[in-house]
Amino acid sequence: MAGRTLGAEPAEVRHANGNEYRVIDAGSYTARMARDVHDVTMADGTVWTVGQPIGWHGVPAAWRGVSQ
Protein backbone atom coordinates (compact mmCIF):
# COMPACT_ATOMS: atom_id res chain seq x y z
CA MET A 1 0.00 0.00 0.00
CA ALA A 2 1.29 3.50 0.71
CA GLY A 3 4.71 4.33 2.04
CA ARG A 4 5.80 7.41 3.93
CA THR A 5 7.60 10.30 2.28
CA LEU A 6 11.28 10.86 2.89
CA GLY A 7 12.41 12.74 5.96
CA ALA A 8 10.26 13.48 8.96
CA GLU A 9 6.92 13.82 7.17
CA PRO A 10 3.81 13.04 9.20
CA ALA A 11 1.70 9.93 8.54
CA GLU A 12 -1.32 12.16 7.89
CA VAL A 13 -2.00 15.84 7.21
CA ARG A 14 -5.18 17.80 7.91
CA HIS A 15 -6.88 20.57 5.95
CA ALA A 16 -8.48 23.49 7.82
CA ASN A 17 -11.94 22.07 7.00
CA GLY A 18 -11.09 18.84 8.85
CA ASN A 19 -10.34 16.59 5.85
CA GLU A 20 -7.45 14.22 6.53
CA TYR A 21 -5.04 12.87 3.92
CA ARG A 22 -2.74 9.87 4.25
CA VAL A 23 0.85 10.85 3.34
CA ILE A 24 2.46 8.74 0.61
CA ASP A 25 5.75 8.80 -1.30
CA ALA A 26 5.63 11.38 -4.12
CA GLY A 27 7.48 9.08 -6.52
CA SER A 28 5.26 6.08 -5.92
CA TYR A 29 3.05 4.42 -8.50
CA THR A 30 0.11 5.21 -6.20
CA ALA A 31 0.81 8.97 -6.44
CA ARG A 32 1.43 8.88 -10.20
CA MET A 33 -1.86 7.08 -10.89
CA ALA A 34 -4.06 9.07 -8.48
CA ARG A 35 -7.16 10.81 -9.81
CA ASP A 36 -8.42 14.36 -9.15
CA VAL A 37 -4.89 15.61 -8.38
CA HIS A 38 -4.53 19.21 -7.18
CA ASP A 39 -2.60 21.34 -4.68
CA VAL A 40 -4.13 22.06 -1.27
CA THR A 41 -2.94 24.33 1.55
CA MET A 42 -3.23 22.47 4.84
CA ALA A 43 -4.20 23.86 8.25
CA ASP A 44 -0.53 24.43 9.16
CA GLY A 45 0.08 26.48 5.97
CA THR A 46 2.04 23.85 4.05
CA VAL A 47 1.07 23.10 0.45
CA TRP A 48 0.58 19.46 -0.54
CA THR A 49 -0.45 17.73 -3.74
CA VAL A 50 -3.51 15.60 -3.03
CA GLY A 51 -5.49 13.03 -4.98
CA GLN A 52 -7.61 9.91 -4.86
CA PRO A 53 -5.48 6.80 -5.39
CA ILE A 54 -7.05 4.11 -7.55
CA GLY A 55 -8.51 1.40 -5.33
CA TRP A 56 -8.41 3.48 -2.13
CA HIS A 57 -12.14 3.92 -1.73
CA GLY A 58 -12.72 7.03 0.38
CA VAL A 59 -9.08 7.39 1.46
CA PRO A 60 -7.47 10.50 -0.07
CA ALA A 61 -3.69 10.81 -0.19
CA ALA A 62 -1.20 13.69 -0.03
CA TRP A 63 2.41 13.95 -1.15
CA ARG A 64 5.18 16.50 -1.73
CA GLY A 65 8.39 16.42 -3.67
CA VAL A 66 8.17 15.44 -7.33
CA SER A 67 6.16 18.37 -8.70
CA GLN A 68 7.47 21.05 -6.35
Side-chain angles (χ1 to χ4, degrees):
M1 202 153 173
R4 294 186 65 184
T5 57
L6 298 175
E9 298 288 3
E12 293 182 345
V13 290
R14 182 183 298 255
H15 187 270
N17 68 8
N19 289 348
E20 292 184 359
Y21 299 86
R22 184 178 301 167
V23 175
I24 63 173
D25 181 16
S28 70
Y29 177 80
T30 302
R32 290 191 316 266
M33 299 306 294
R35 296 179 178 155
D36 190 27
V37 175
H38 56 282
D39 288 340
V40 172
T41 302
M42 298 301 170
D44 64 359
T46 59
V47 177
W48 292 75
T49 302
V50 301
Q52 181 62 49
I54 296 171
W56 287 28
H57 304 288
V59 181
W63 58 91
R64 296 193 294 182
V66 171
S67 63
Q68 295 183 1

